[in-house]
Amino acid sequence: MFDQVVFAGGGNRCWWQAGFWDVVQPELKLRPRVITSISAGAATACMLYTNHSEWVMDYYSHVLRDNSKNAYWGNLLRSESVFPHYRIYRQALLDIYGDRFQTLKAAPEIRIGVSHLPRWLGARSAVAAGLIAYNIEKYVRKKLHPTLGQALGFHPEFVKAQECATVEDLADLILQSSSTPPFTPILRRQGRPVLDGGMVDNVPVGALDASPGLVLVMVTRVYPRPQMFMVEHGEHGKHRDQRRVYVQPSRKVPISSWDYTSPALMRPAYDLGRADGEQFLMRLPDVLSAAAQH
């Protein structure tokens, strides 16, 4: 049914996507040709084609059981990393994909986005500017598809997961797509500093093919829009034959993006996705029918 799918970023909130997908995919027998993704949305998309959500939730419960803080300020005195996220996240990606890495060859083409920095700014200045723009878009403008990052000169690059030769390469690519100082260091791709793909657009519809058909767009934040809505897309003046079905959580996902101290909250986030997936299946025929009448 859906030829292409979008996994927005959102850190731990992407557990909502996993729950939603685990209900909707088998019911609709989804076999998308292309997936576009950002940050933890990319990690989730790859997980869904290499492992099982239940196993991964158990994994995080185990590895995070002794992590009591999101910041260890005492590490400043020892010249060690204050934030444990990068170390835990990278090892988790290696463990989750691990021996199943080769199964990605049979998965849809998964496009993973990173943001390249403006050429007129140094790395540190670009990080500061990007984070300010990101938070203005998130908390003030609340735009579904932000524009400030691109206006500043951030520009995207999308790399196929299947182009990664090893699981280490894939882990590095996802971390580059998730690069959000101070939780991660400033990461580099082919020698160039990059930031979280969400600096350009956290809902990466720009990486979709322009082909006609239905697109499923899963966001992880609650926007001032209907929970489920459709956008027709096409070049100005031409028949708009690509229809994008957006779905967002029915309420705020009950876990913070970078909280590595509360693995028990992954389950409620996942369960909310499952519940919203059930509602989506019930409402989808009416949405498609209404769109067909226009």
Side-chain angles (χ1 to χ4, degrees), residues 53-74:
S53 300
E54 295 288 346
W55 187 93
V56 177
M57 280 188 282
D58 287 344
Y59 169 88
Y60 273 113
S61 294
H62 177 74
V63 301
L64 295 178
R65 69 189 186 283
D66 296 325
N67 185 64
S68 59
K69 301 177 183 178
N70 285 309
Y72 294 84
W73 297 108

Side-chain angles (χ1 to χ4, degrees), residues 112-116 157-161 163-164 168-177 186-195:
I112 300 174
V114 301
S115 293
H116 287 282
E157 177 189 6
F158 283 85
V159 182
K160 301 172 187 175
E163 292 180 352
C164 296
E168 289 81 8
D169 291 341
L170 178 61
D172 288 340
L173 173 59
I174 291 174
L175 286 162
Q176 291 156 8
S177 181
I186 299 175
L187 301 177
R188 295 179 178 270
R189 179 164 187 82
Q190 297 178 342
R192 300 166 59 193
V194 292
L195 287 178

